Amino acid sequence: MIALQRRADPSRLMGYLAPLLALGITLLAGLMLFAILGVPVGAAFYAFFIEPVSSLYGWAELGVKAAPLIIIAVALSIGFRAQVWNIGAEGQLILGGITGAAVALMFHQNDGWYVLPLMVLAGIAGGMAWAAIPALLKTRFNVNEILTSLMLTYVAVLLLSWLVSGPMRDPDGFNFPESRMFHDAALLPRILEGTRLHAGAMVAVGVVLAGWILLTRTLLGFALRVNGAAPRAGAHAGFSQPKLIWTALMIGGGCAGLAGLFEVAGPIGQLLPSISPGYGFTAIIVAFLGRLHPVGVLFAGLIMALSYLGGESAQITLSLPLAVTGVFQGMLLFFLLATDVLINYRVVFK
Amino acid sequence: MNETLMLTVLTIITAATPLVYAAIGELVVERSGVLNLGVEGMMLAGAVCSFAVAHHTGSATLAILAGLLAGMLLASIFAFLTLSLQSSQVATGLALTIFGIGLSALLGQSLVGIAFAGLPSLHIPWLSDLPVVGRLLFSHDVLVYGSFAIVLLVSWFLNRSRAGLVLRAVGDSHDAAHALGIKVIRVRYMATLFGGACAGLGGAYLSLVYTPMWAENMSAGRGWIALALVVFAVWQPGRLLLGAYLFGGISILQLHGQALGINVPSQLMSMLPYLTTILVLVLISRDRGRIRRNAPASIGQSFYPTS
C-alpha cells in the first residue's frame, strides 16, 4: 500500500519541482480533455501553447495579460503569507477601474500631464477603499475576510454595471452601457509600437521587485511571514495582528485597484460593463503557483497569461468554448495542491 | 389570502430552497472540522449536470440524481486532496470553485438557451386541495419537501444520534477522537461527500425549478451565501432554516421591488443579498465568545494521524 510519511524538514527541492510537476500533469490532463471533447490533440496543443506566442504581437499580448495577474498576485501572496485571505481582488480591481475612469471622465476636456498620474492615484485609492471594508470588519468585528471580500466582488460588478448604464454612460453613446472613450492624456503610453503592450507591464516588474524587497529585506515582511507561520509567536514578538491585517489588505487592494486602472486606461480605453476576464480570481492561482514568492509569481503570471491567450486562440481556430481556460486553471491549482504534498511528506510503499 | 402575498410567499420558498440544501450540507461538513469553500463550484456542477440529464432524458428523478452525484464527485476531489494529501482546505476549496465554474460552463455550452418544463408539484390527496393552506404548504415539488426533511434529519443526526456525536467529536478535537479509536479521516470523507451531494441538490434546484434553464455562473454567489448562512446559524440546523428563508425573502425583493413602486435601479436592488450577507456576518461575528463556543474547534485544520 502507498502511504505518506511526514518529512523531518520540508523538502526544498520539492518546493521547486512540485509546480513543474503540476504543470506537466495539467498538460497531460488537458490533452486528455481535448481527446474527450473530440478535438485533434496536436492541433489543440498548437492552438493553445504555440500559436499565441508565435509572433511578436503574441508576446506583447502575453505581457498585456500577465501584467495585471502579476501585479495582483504579488500583493496577494504577501497577504496569503500572513494568512490574510483576500479573495476579493476582482472587486478591488473593478473599483480601481471605476475610480480611475471617474478621474479620466472628469478631466476629459483637459490634456494636462497630470491626468494620468491622478488616475493612477485614484485607481489605487479605489481598490484600497474596497479592501478597507473587509479589513475594518475583520479587525473591528472579527468577520471572516474571505466571505466579505468575495461578497463585495459581486457588489462591485453590479456597481460597475449600474454606473456604465447610468451616471457614467457616454452622453453621445446611443444609450450603450459604456463610458466615453478616454482621450490621449488619459491613456497609458504604449511601450511597443504596433502592439497593445503598455507601461503597466513595466510597473508589474517593479511590483515584483518591490514585493521581493518587502518580503525578504524589511521588518514588515518578516512580521507578515511570522504572523502566517505562527500567529502566537508573532503576537509575542509584538507584531500587532490588526496592523498586519490592514497592511495585507491595503497592499492587496491598492495593487488590484492599480491593475484595474491599467485595464481601463490601457487595453480597453473606456469603462465597459466588464473590465476583467477574472484576473482577480486567476491571480489567486498565480500566487500559489508562484509559491507565494514574487519571483515565482512573475513566471506563474506569464504561464497563466498564456492560458488566457491559448483559450482565445483555441476558440478562434478550433471553436472550443472559452470556458476551457477556467477548467485548465482549476486543474492546474488542483494538481499543484496535490503535488505540494511531496514537500512535507514522503511517499512510501508498505 | 391576498393573491400577491401568496405569490410572494411561494417565490420566497423557491428562492430559499437551494440555499437550504447548500448550507445544510456545508454545516455538516464544518461540524466534522472541514471547511469546504467550494460550495459555489459544486452547486454549479450540480446545476449543469441535472439540467443536461433533464434535457436528454426528460426524467426529473434522474436529473435530481445527476445533480446530487455531480456535487459528490467534485466533493470527492476536495476530500482526496485535503484529507488524503493534506492540502490546505482554504486553497483547495477556492480551486474547487474555480474549477467548478469552468467545468460547468464547458459542459453547459450546448445547453444555453434551452428551457425546461420544471419539476411537477406533488399532488397530495385532500391536503393539496385545501383552500389557501393547500397551495401554500401542500403544492410544492419534491425538492422543497426534501429540504425540510433534510434539515430535520441533520438536526436529529447531530443532536440525538451516536454517529452524530462521533462526527461532532471529530470536528471539535480530531486528536482526541483519534485517540478514542475513531477513524477521523473516514468520518470527514463521509461528511464532505454529504456536503457535496447537498450542494449538488441545491444546484439542481436552481436549474430545474428556480430558473428552469442553464446559464453560465447561474448560482451567482449562492454557494458563498450558503457559507455565510452556516456562520449566521452558529452551526445549528434550525437557525439555518430561518436564515435561508430570511435570505430568500431579501433576494426576491428585487423582483417585487418594481411592482411595489420602489424606483431603484435593478443593479442596486440586486446588491441587497450580498450586502445583507455582510451585515449579518458582522452582527453574528462581533460576538466572539458566541462564535468560539459554537464553531467546531478543529475547523480548517489538516489531520495527520501521529500514531
Side-chain angles (χ1 to χ4, degrees), chain A:
Chain A
M1 221 196 100
I2 304 171
L4 293 176
Q5 196 178 49
R6 190 172 259 168
R7 292 179 197 270
D9 292 306
S11 158
R12 257 189 99 90
L13 176 69
M14 282 301 166
Y16 293 110
L17 275 186
L20 299 177
L21 200 60
L23 277 174
I25 302 175
T26 308
L27 205 61
L28 284 179
L31 295 180
M32 266 167 62
L33 179 73
F34 289 136
I36 294 169
L37 288 172
V39 181
V41 171
F45 183 84
Y46 182 81
F48 231 90
F49 301 105
I50 313 292
E51 211 269 314
V53 284
S54 57
S55 64
L56 183 66
Y57 184 80
W59 282 97
E61 280 298 295
L62 193 71
V64 171
K65 296 268 194 294
L69 289 176
I70 293 170
I71 293 174
I72 302 172
V74 166
L76 288 187
S77 31
I78 292 168
F80 289 172
R81 276 184 182 240
Q83 305 271 11
V84 178
W85 300 104
N86 170 17
I87 61 168
E90 181 76 4
Q92 293 143 22
L93 177 153
I94 291 173
L95 254 286
I98 291 174
T99 46
V103 171
L105 298 175
M106 208 154 49
F107 287 100
H108 77 97
Q109 280 161 331
N110 192 322
D111 51 8
W113 60 268
Y114 49 82
V115 174
L116 198 56
L118 273 180
M119 285 168 67
V120 168
L121 288 180
I124 295 175
M128 279 185 166
W130 215 236
I133 303 172
L136 179 76
L137 298 182
K138 171 87 177 178
T139 49
R140 278 291 293 277
F141 302 115
N142 191 31
V143 185
N144 181 317
E145 76 279 16
I146 297 178
L147 292 172
T148 45
S149 63
L150 198 98
M151 287 295 132
L152 286 170
T153 298
Y154 288 99
V155 176
V157 169
L158 290 164
L159 183 67
L160 174 61
S161 162
W162 171 62
L163 287 173
V164 291
S165 57
M168 289 169 92
R169 188 175 55 199
D170 183 356
D172 314 313
F174 306 103
N175 274 338
F176 278 109
E178 47 189 56
S179 80
R180 202 189 282 279
M181 296 289 289
F182 293 176
H183 55 301
D184 285 345
L187 291 174
L188 283 175
R190 305 269 160 104
I191 53 178
L192 202 59
E193 209 48 54
T195 71
R196 303 198 302 163
L197 193 65
H198 54 78
M202 290 195 303
V203 175
V205 177
V207 168
V208 168
L209 215 68
W212 180 75
I213 292 171
L214 173 75
L215 268 180
T216 59
R217 296 281 179 276
T218 65
L219 182 64
L220 177 63
F222 180 68
L224 286 161
R225 283 184 291 145
V226 168
N227 188 57
R232 279 203 193 144
H236 278 297
F239 303 138
S240 140
Q241 182 95 9
K243 198 176 140 199
L244 290 178
I245 291 169
W246 270 101
T247 311
L249 275 156
M250 285 304 100
I251 294 175
C255 284
L258 182 66
L261 175 271
F262 283 166
E263 284 309 294
V264 295
I268 303 178
Q270 68 187 128
L271 208 53
L272 296 176
S274 165
I275 58 170
S276 149
Y279 287 137
F281 292 114
T282 306
I284 297 170
I285 306 181
V286 172
F288 282 114
L289 185 64
R291 294 271 85 121
L292 306 185
H293 189 288
V295 179
V297 164
L298 179 67
F299 291 107
L302 290 168
I303 290 167
M304 293 309 269
L306 183 60
S307 82
Y308 274 114
L309 292 182
E312 285 171 10
S313 138
Q315 188 189 27
I316 295 164
T317 57
L318 299 166
S319 58
L320 275 175
L322 207 53
V324 169
T325 304
V327 177
F328 254 95
Q329 296 178 348
M331 279 201 305
L332 178 59
L333 188 47
F334 277 144
F335 290 130
L336 182 73
L337 291 164
T339 48
D340 265 1
V341 74
L342 298 171
I343 297 173
N344 287 311
Y345 296 86
R346 207 188 301 277
V347 180
V348 289
F349 299 90
K350 288 196 217 178

Side-chain angles (χ1 to χ4, degrees), chain B residues 114-184:
Chain B
I114 303 173
F116 176 67
L119 285 185
S121 46
L122 290 186
H123 188 87
I124 308 165
W126 192 70
L127 284 180
S128 301
D129 300 325
L130 288 174
V132 183
V133 183
R135 220 175 128 202
L136 209 56
L137 298 180
F138 302 109
S139 64
H140 298 293
D141 53 78
V142 59
L143 282 174
V144 170
Y145 298 118
S147 71
F148 282 94
I150 212 163
V151 172
L152 279 175
L153 219 70
V154 165
S155 178
W156 171 84
F157 169 82
L158 286 175
N159 299 316
R160 294 270 179 276
S161 79
R162 196 183 144 70
L165 187 67
V166 168
L167 181 120
R168 284 189 287 141
V170 167
D172 279 329
S173 168
H174 46 216
D175 291 321
H178 177 67
L180 287 170
I182 296 170
K183 300 240 181 301
V184 171

Side-chain angles (χ1 to χ4, degrees), chain B residues 68-83:
Chain B
L68 184 147
L69 288 176
M72 261 177 122
L73 198 70
L74 251 66
S76 69
I77 303 177
F78 175 85
F80 177 70
L81 286 171
T82 55
L83 301 175

Side-chain angles (χ1 to χ4, degrees), chain B residues 13 20 48 60 86 103-104 110 146 156 159 167 182 221 226 232 237 239 270 292 301 305:
Chain B
I13 295 175
V20 174
V48 76
Q86 318 277 339
L103 184 72
S104 59
S110 58
W156 171 84
N159 299 316
L167 181 120
I182 296 170
F232 169 80
R239 283 185 56 116
S270 303
R292 209 176 306 126
Q301 298 166 9

Side-chain angles (χ1 to χ4, degrees), chain B residues 90-299:
Chain B
V90 171
T92 314
L94 290 176
L96 194 65
T97 287
I98 294 172
F99 179 72
I101 292 173
L103 184 72
S104 59
L106 182 63
L107 294 175
Q109 193 75 14
S110 58
L111 298 169
V112 175
I114 303 173
F116 176 67
L119 285 185
S121 46
L122 290 186
H123 188 87
I124 308 165
W126 192 70
L127 284 180
S128 301
D129 300 325
L130 288 174
V132 183
V133 183
R135 220 175 128 202
L136 209 56
L137 298 180
F138 302 109
S139 64
H140 298 293
D141 53 78
V142 59
L143 282 174
V144 170
Y145 298 118
S147 71
F148 282 94
I150 212 163
V151 172
L152 279 175
L153 219 70
V154 165
S155 178
W156 171 84
F157 169 82
L158 286 175
N159 299 316
R160 294 270 179 276
S161 79
R162 196 183 144 70
L165 187 67
V166 168
L167 181 120
R168 284 189 287 141
V170 167
D172 279 329
S173 168
H174 46 216
D175 291 321
H178 177 67
L180 287 170
I182 296 170
K183 300 240 181 301
V184 171
I185 299 291
R186 186 190 293 170
V187 171
R188 287 190 172 164
Y189 255 101
M190 291 197 296
T192 307
L193 290 181
F194 175 79
C198 287
L201 284 177
Y205 194 83
L206 284 179
S207 67
L208 295 178
V209 184
Y210 187 69
T211 45
M213 54 167 221
W214 163 254
E216 244 180 68
N217 241 327
M218 68 183 297
S219 54
R222 285 189 182 79
W224 295 103
I225 292 182
L227 278 157
L229 273 175
V230 178
V231 179
F232 169 80
V234 284
W235 293 269
Q236 306 293 338
R239 283 185 56 116
L240 185 139
L241 199 60
L242 182 81
Y245 273 78
L246 183 75
F247 271 85
I250 288 159
S251 66
I252 64 143
L253 267 185
Q254 49 189 298
L255 300 176
H256 291 272
Q258 245 96 21
L260 294 172
I262 303 174
N263 195 15
V264 175
S266 67
Q267 291 100 335
L268 300 188
M269 287 300 276
S270 303
M271 290 177 187
L272 274 178
Y274 310 115
L275 294 175
T276 316
T277 306
I278 296 174
L279 184 71
V280 161
L281 282 172
V282 170
L283 293 179
I284 298 291
S285 308
R286 57 188 297 187
D287 188 349
R288 284 164 204 257
R290 185 172 187 188
I291 292 286
R292 209 176 306 126
R293 277 194 304 279
N294 289 287
S298 5
I299 193 158

